[in-house]
Amino acid sequence: MPALSLALALACQEPFDAARQDLVGDRVVAVALAVDAQSLRPTPALWVDGRGWTDTPVDLSWGWVDDPDAVVDFGPGLAVATGPQPVIPRGGGTLLAFHALFPSGTVERGYLVPPVTAGERRVLGPWARSVLPVNLKEITGDALTREARAALTGSPGEIAPGGVGRLTLDAPDATVRFTASRGTILELDAETADWVAGDVLLDEADLELAEPIGVGWTTLVALTVAADRVDGWSSADLWVGPPEPGGWIGERFLPGADAPAPGRAWATLTADDDAPCGLRATAWFTADPATPTPPCMASNADFHPDRLLDGTCTRAELVGATVPVSLTAAP
Amino acid sequence: MWLWASMAWAAEIRVTERGTGRPIADATVTIGDASYPVDADGRATTPDWAEVATVTVDAPGWQSTTVAAAADRPVRVSLVASARALEVVVEGLRQSPDATRHVVDAEQAFETPGALDDAVRLVQSLPGVAVQRELGPSAGDLAIRGASGPDNRYYLDGIQIPYLYHYNQYASVFPASSLSTLALYPSTFGSEYGNATGGVVEARSLHTRPEDVEGSASVNFVMAGGDVRAPVGKDGWVAVQGRRSYFDIAGEASAQYPVWPRFFDASVRGGVGDEAEGASFFALAAGDAYTRAAGELDALDPVEALQTPLFSFSHRFEIAGGERRWSGPTSRGRLVGAIVHYSREGALTSNGREDLDDLSFATRLDAHRDLSERWAADVGWELRQSRTALTVEDAGADALLVAEEAPALARGAAVATSASRLHGGLYGTLAGQYGPLTLLPGLRLSADTLPAARAWPEPRASALVRPTESTLLKIVGGRYVQRPTTEDLLPDTGDPLLPTTDSWQVAGGVEQRVAGRLELGLDSYHKWLWNPLARPIDGPPEALPTGRAWGVEALARYRLRDVFFLWGWVGIGRSLLFDADGRARPGQADQPVSAGVVASWDVGHWTLGARWRTASGLPFTPIDGSLYDAGRDQWTPIPGEDNADRFPTYTKVDARVAHTWTFRSWRLVGSAELWFVPPAATPLYPAWNFDNSEREWVRGPVLLPLGGLRAEF
C-alpha cells in the first residue's frame, strides 16, 4: 500500500524483524537454472534454521503448473522430480513450481518461468572486497546515504565492529542482490553493496539505529537477476575483526588450525556450529589419505562449503569424513 | 465610529451592521426631540447642529446606540444585533417518501470539530455513515449503511458529480461557504433518486441574492481560498469561489512525492430570484494532481528506490449548466441541465499510460403539484447521455503498483475503446393524506442502453403516521436497482456482461420531539441484494450471488440556531456478502457498532466544540503468506479470505475553540483544534515485509494540533 498520506511525517511504523537482505530462519534464498533443449537443472541456495547448513535435509519437490495460483496447491504428490538438483524434463506446464519442506516444518512454495534459450548457470566471482573509511561509532546518517557512500573509496583491510566493507560482483546485464547472515546491506549500484558490521536503521538520512556487531563470521549469498531470470548465485564469508586460523576455499572459509598453503589438500571434518559452514577441520593432509568419499559427494570432486548451501550434502553426512579441498589465497 | 468632513448645512448619518458594513434600512436616528428614518441605504440627512450633538440610533433587532457627533461631519454608526429569540431548529418530522434524511448546513460545517470547515466531512459524523480512520487510505470514503463508495450517489444541485473528495479526502470538492444545505439519505430514499443501492448525498448551493457584497477568505492546514457574492441589478446576483492547496507552492516535496499533491476547486454562479422562484447558471471545476514514486520507497533498497518508476496522476471535472425554479400556490419544481466532463490520466515513467475521458449531458426535472386537498404528486426525470473513451498503453509489472489510481492500467492490456450510453429514470410519487396517515406510493422506471437497451421498474412506497404533533412513525420499502459504471462495462478492461445489482430494501422508525426542542429518533433498515459487485484490486469487478445489510440507529438532536447544537447517535448493523456456497464474508463497509456525540456552543465571541466518535474497525483482506517468484527474486502475496481480518476499534476525540473578532465591516474567525486518538486506535493501514511473513501497522499520530483563519465581509 503506497504511503498516500499527505501528512507523511505524522505516520510511523515499527520496523520489521527481517528485511529482504537478512538471512534468517528457513528460506529459499535463490534458485539458479541450467537449461538445455530437453531439460532443466535447478540449483537452490537454502538457508535452514538461520544457517547455511543443516543436519537434516530439506525435502524438495519440483513439478509443472500453468499459473501462479496453482502453485499454492502444489506439493510432493504432484512432483515430477525431487531433491536439491534434479534433472527435470521440460513440458507439462508453463511454470516450474517447487515445494520446500524444512526440518522445522516450515513450507515454502515458489515458481520459475523457464527460459527458452539454453544456458548454464552464471558463474560469479571473484568477489571484490574492500573496507570503507567509516565506522558507525563516529558517523551520522548522512554518511550512509547512497550519495555519500558513492563518494567513498575502499581499501584493503579488515572490517572492525561497526565498520563498513564494500563488495562487488561483476555481473554484466544483471542486478546483483546481496543477502547476509549478520549486519546490514546497503546497496550502492547494480553490482555493488556496502556491508555494515552493525545493525542499522536508516529513515532517509536519519540514523534511527546503529549497533555494531561483534567479532565473528558473516556469510553472504548474492544472486543475479537478469532479464527476469535469476541466472546465478554465489556465497562468501566475511570476518569481522582479526581472522582465526583456517583455510580459504574460494570465497568461503574452513576454520582449523595449521591449514596448509594454497593448493590441493585434505581435511578431516568435525561439527562446529560456530563455523560458517558448520564444519571445522581437525586435521589437514597434503597427501591423499585414501579415505572413503562421503556418498553425497561425487567421486573425485573437491569439497566446497556450497555443497551444504545447495543441499547436496547435509552436515551429518560430512562429519568425520576426510575430504579433498582446493585451498586458495585469502580473498 | 468614523467621523469625516461633510457639507456645511446638513449632516449625513449612515447606519450599518457592525462586522459586515451592510446598511440597516429600518433604523431611526434621533437628535433631541426629532427623529429621522434612514433610507434603504441606511442614510439619514438631518439639519446641521452646533458643535456636538447626542445622536441615538434605534432599529428593531439591534441594540440602541448613542454617540456624540460633531457638527458638519458625516456620521457613521455601527449597530450590534440584539440577543435574538432562540430559533429552535427541527430537522425531523418532515413529510417525504424518504425513511431517513439528515441535513447539515454551513453553521454546522464551520463549527463542528474535525470537520475542517467541510460539510461533506461532517456527513461522516451522521448515523449510518461508517466512521473512517483519519489520515488512512479510506479517510473520506462515505460508506453508508453497509454500502461503500461506488454504491452511493453524490449530487450538487441535482447533477451527479464524478467524485466527492480531493486527494486523500482532505477536502470535498465544494466549500461549505457555497452551500445552503447538504442532505444525506442513507437508504430507502424516494423514487426521485435511482441507480444506487446505497445512499444519496445531495448538496444545494446558495441561490439567494445578497443584500450587499459579501464574501470570505480562509486558510487552514490544507487549502487557502475565498469567495465573493454580490447583487447584480434589481434581482440578480453573482458568486465566485476558488480554493487551492498550497503545500506544493510552498516547495514541499519528498522522494516519495517529487510533485507534491495539488488540488483546486472553483466555481462561478449567478442568477435571479431566490431558492423558490428563479433561474441560475453555474460553472464549476475541480481537480487533483500529483507525481509519486510507484513503489513504496521505505520498503525498497537504495538501488531499487532509484529504479522505481514515477507515476503521474491527475483527475478533474468541469460542470456547466443552468437551473430554473418555480413556485406557485399549488405547484413548485426545478429543471436542471448541465454538461459534465470528467477526465483521469495516469502515466508511468517506465512504461504504460491510462487516459479516461467522459463527457455527459445531464438533465433533471423535479415537479410537485397539489392535486386536491388530500392528494399531491411529484414527478420528474433524471437522464444522462454520456460518451466514455478509455485508452491504455501496455504497461509491465509496474502497473500493479498503481492499481488503485489507474485500474485499467493495472489490467495489463493495451486498449483503445469507447462507449456511448443513455441511462436514467422517470419517476412519480403520490402523497395521500388521511388524517394522521400519509401514504406515498411511488414508481421509478429506470433504463439503460449499455450494453443493450433495458428497463427496470422500481416500485417504492412509504407510510407515515403522525399520532401526535410531536411523533412520527414511518415505514418505507421498495426496489433499488444499480447498474455498473461505464468503465466497469467496457470490454478488455471491464466486463460487458456484468449484471445489474438488484435490491429490495425496507426501513422504518419513529421520530419524537420532546418539549418542542429535543428530537429523538430510532431507525432500522434491512437490505436484500442480488449480484452485489466486489472489486478486487487486480481485476475487474465481479458479481457475487447475494448480500444483506441491516441495522438499527438511535439519534438524539438539539439545536438553537447560532447558539448551540448537539447530536449523538448509536448504530448497530452488519453488511455481509454471500458466495455461491452460501458462505458469508463481511462487506467492505461492515461496521457492527458505531457511536458518537457532536456539540458546539457559541459563547459571546467564542465557540467551543467537541466531537467524540468510536466504531468497530472495518474489515480488510489479510495476506496469508507468499509464493517466491524465484525467477525475479520477488514474493507474490497470497491473499487470505476476503475481509477476514479487521482493523482495531477506532476512537477519536476532536476539540475546537474559535474566536470571532468583529470589525466595522468585516470579521475574522480564528480557530484551533486538537485531535486525540488513543494509541490502540492509531493504526492507519497494514504493511507487510518483503515475503509477507510479518505484518506491522502504519500508525497515525495520537495528538495533532490544527488551526485555521477565516475572514468574512
Side-chain angles (χ1 to χ4, degrees), chain B residues 3-4 42 71 82 88 95 128 152 161 209 257 271 299 337 386 404 436 450 471 481 504 527 561 654-655 681:
Chain B
L3 306 175
W4 63 91
S82 301
V88 175
Q95 176 173 304
N152 306 312
I161 58 174
R209 179 179 183 276
Y257 283 89
S386 64
E404 271 192 66
L450 191 69
T471 307
V481 158
W504 283 86
K527 305 185 208 179
R561 190 177 290 282
D654 301 277

Side-chain angles (χ1 to χ4, degrees), chain B residues 415-637:
Chain B
V415 162
T417 185
S418 64
S420 293
R421 187 179 194 181
L422 173 66
H423 64 115
L426 302 172
Y427 77 88
T429 303
L430 287 175
Q433 191 79 42
Y434 291 89
L437 173 67
T438 305
L439 296 174
L440 299 108
L443 176 67
R444 184 180 180 92
L445 186 66
S446 294
D448 194 358
T449 60
L450 191 69
R454 200 186 150 182
W456 298 263
E458 296 176 74
R460 300 173 193 173
S462 352
L464 312 175
V465 179
R466 198 183 297 270
T468 72
E469 274 300 311
S470 305
T471 307
L472 177 68
L473 304 170
K474 53 193 176 180
I475 183 163
V476 178
R479 187 186 187 196
Y480 296 79
V481 158
Q482 180 178 321
R483 292 285 300 144
T485 66
T486 303
E487 190 176 351
D488 289 342
L489 292 171
L490 290 173
D492 300 316
T493 58
D495 180 0
L497 300 180
L498 274 176
T500 302
T501 301
D502 202 344
S503 75
W504 283 86
Q505 303 181 14
V506 64
V510 57
E511 294 176 17
Q512 178 71 46
R513 188 171 59 199
V514 177
R517 293 173 180 263
L518 176 66
E519 295 175 63
L520 303 175
L522 184 67
D523 291 315
S524 66
Y525 64 92
H526 200 116
K527 305 185 208 179
W528 293 266
L529 297 110
W530 291 266
N531 300 315
L533 294 187
R535 298 173 181 278
I537 199 150
D538 57 351
E542 55 188 20
L544 297 172
T546 58
R548 277 171 60 199
W550 66 92
V552 176
E553 296 153 9
L555 170 70
R557 189 162 45 199
Y558 182 85
R559 185 177 181 189
L560 301 174
R561 190 177 290 282
D562 297 330
V563 177
F564 177 77
F565 63 81
L566 175 146
W567 75 82
W569 82 95
V570 175
I572 297 171
R574 295 304 307 272
S575 169
L576 300 176
L577 301 172
F578 299 90
D579 61 22
D581 298 326
R583 282 183 311 169
R585 69 179 200 223
Q588 209 61 36
D590 179 52
Q591 191 164 66
V593 179
S594 64
V597 176
V598 177
S600 179
W601 184 22
D602 291 342
V603 185
H605 296 292
W606 294 89
T607 302
L608 307 173
R611 179 178 71 166
W612 165 79
R613 296 178 299 162
T614 190
S616 313
L618 290 169
F620 67 94
T621 301
I623 290 177
D624 190 14
S626 62
L627 300 175
Y628 179 45
D629 180 350
R632 295 187 293 176
D633 193 38
Q634 293 178 359
W635 287 261
T636 304

Side-chain angles (χ1 to χ4, degrees), chain B residues 39-98:
Chain B
D39 61 17
D41 201 33
R43 299 181 194 276
T45 302
T46 71
D48 201 3
W49 58 81
E51 296 187 2
V52 176
T54 300
V55 176
T56 300
V57 180
D58 298 284
W62 303 91
Q63 295 180 16
S64 177
T65 300
T66 300
V67 300
D72 300 333
R73 295 180 184 183
V75 175
R76 184 166 176 172
V77 180
S78 299
L79 301 185
V80 176
S82 301
R84 303 179 197 176
L86 296 174
E87 179 189 348
V88 175
V89 179
V90 176
E91 291 163 345
L93 305 180
R94 174 181 175 273
Q95 176 173 304
S96 79
D98 318 295

